[in-house]
Amino acid sequence: MPTILAGEDAMQACLAAVRRAPRATALFCDIDGTIAPIVGHPADAVVPTRFKTLLRALVTRLGSVAFVTGRALDDGRRMVAVEGAAYVGTHGLQILTADGSSFTEPQAERYIDVVQRIAALAAEELADLDGVVLEDKRTVLAIHYRLAPDADRARHEIVARVVEPARAAGLAISTGHFVYEIRPPVPVTKGTATRRLLAGRDLVTAVFCGDDLTDVTGFEAVHRWAEADARRYACAVAAVTAETPPPVTEAADVQVAATEGMYEFLSRLLAAAGG
Ligand SMILES: [Mg+2]
């Protein structure tokens, strides 16, 4: 079965750009679903060793490599465990550059105290609810209720006891599958973090690999960055399964099978970079 599903020409153009100037190439890479196969429980997800080996080699050859995740930064870093790379956590709110400087997106920084106040409230108010799991990502509080025996009741109580007070305190709320996320009300995305990491660098090629809706902001960020200068080249690579949301494939230049095709693509990238 082919692992490169669409965009062969775009891939060849990308590889040619990397071949011309590997040290002027930036690689941005999502973790879950892109280099770590999706599993039932996110805590069980791992980046396979062969991916880590490949990514370590890419770090030595390319201008920069960054891992960009919705997980807390430290969690993403623990999973990938590749030195010399930048890490972006909580969808752009936390950034650790390759030279080791770590910061919270400045516009979100001033909300940390209030997020932490809501985290303390949640720990107290939700303690009696079975199957409700809090994930404190410092700048973001995630409240998971997938394991609750009565999900409707859990959702009702979470909203009444924590989501409403969080909203009243000026925080933004996003919902997902059996999860509420309480976050600073600022327009920070994987795309804004990508732009921040590209800014002021002497780079000509940027590649963003991802698999989900939040990665589309990264795809758009590298495309816009390339449009701003005729010498620049950008490539968005989607790791695709039967469940991939259409906006992801529509925004991608290259589609590969998750995660086997991503391994193939990154191997070709390494070969183009002389590794
Ligand atoms: Mg993902």
Side-chain angles (χ1 to χ4, degrees), residues 2 5 10 17 19 49 60 84-85 93 119 138 163 165 186 200 202 227:
L5 306 174
R19 216 170 279 126
T49 304
T60 68
L93 287 171
R138 201 167 115 85
V163 169
V186 294
D202 201 9
E227 281 159 19

Side-chain angles (χ1 to χ4, degrees), residues 65-87:
V65 176
F67 298 99
V68 185
T69 179
R71 289 176 182 260
L73 193 147
D74 289 345
D75 194 19
R77 201 172 167 211
R78 172 195 60 77
M79 274 183 83
V80 180
V82 168
E83 297 296 318
Y87 288 84

